[in-house]
Amino acid sequence: MAETSEFFALLAAIGGRAALFAAGGNLARKAVNEIVRAQLVADGTDLEALRAIRAVLGPAAFAEALDGVPAPKTKALLARIDPHAPALAQPGDRVKALLALADASRDPSAPVAKPAKKASSRKAPAAAPAAPATAPAAPAAEVAPDGKPAPRKRKITGRTALRVSEER
């Protein structure tokens, strides 16, 4: 019994004569679940493998085996099989999603379309050379209704603002 495949042949032989091993029925169920769980959490398990495992076991036995997979492992399995699926917070929701993927009632999610890139916010370089340097024109002074130039507005902060508000 040097090779692992011999053990699977022995399991097949025991399964063929299940009546002879009736006392080990519960142990056989546990062994099957452990074998299936080990394969489900293995790195090479993809959607085709998930569906093939379900086809071999049947829906009830597959659901029982999948239900025993630890929550972090179901999260990793779902992320590997359906990388574009929205993140599911509850472990039960992840198991339901995996069951739906396994029975082909749901296909993996399509990648989310990325929004189009916005136009560059940089300004284009000036095309024409700058005009000769002359004194900049003074901005037009605002004129008060009485004809006098309006006083410049400035921001008042600190003690000055307190004093101004007390004067009003």
Side-chain angles (χ1 to χ4, degrees):
M1 288 196 208
E3 292 188 29
T4 307
S5 61
E6 290 181 25
F7 289 111
F8 287 114
L10 289 173
L11 287 173
I14 291 171
R17 310 259 331 245
L20 184 61
F21 299 97
N26 194 32
L27 291 173
R29 183 182 59 80
K30 288 179 183 178
V32 167
N33 285 338
E34 287 302 315
I35 291 169
V36 171
R37 288 176 191 141
Q39 184 58 45
L40 289 174
V41 300
D43 287 337
T45 304
D46 57 359
L47 181 60
E48 290 79 27
L50 184 78
R51 289 180 176 169
I53 291 169
R54 184 188 180 276
V56 168
L57 295 178
F62 179 76
E64 181 182 345
L66 185 62
D67 191 43
V69 176
K73 301 282 185 173
T74 59
K75 186 175 183 179
L77 177 63
L78 184 59
R80 183 172 54 246
I81 290 176
D82 193 3
H84 304 294
L88 299 171
Q90 299 298 320
D93 294 337
R94 291 191 290 260
V95 170
K96 287 177 186 176
L98 286 167
L99 287 171
L101 286 166
D103 70 3
S105 64
R106 178 180 150 222
D107 288 327
S109 303
V112 178
K114 293 182 180 178
K117 291 185 178 181
K118 294 181 180 179
S120 178
S121 62
R122 290 186 179 177
K123 294 182 180 179
T134 58
E142 295 180 17
V143 179
D146 60 356
K148 296 181 181 175
R152 284 184 39 199
K153 292 184 179 179
R154 62 180 190 162
K155 189 172 185 177
I156 302 174
T157 59
R159 291 182 185 210
T160 308
L162 181 62
R163 190 183 70 226
V164 169
S165 66
E166 288 174 352
E167 290 175 359
R168 290 185 185 173

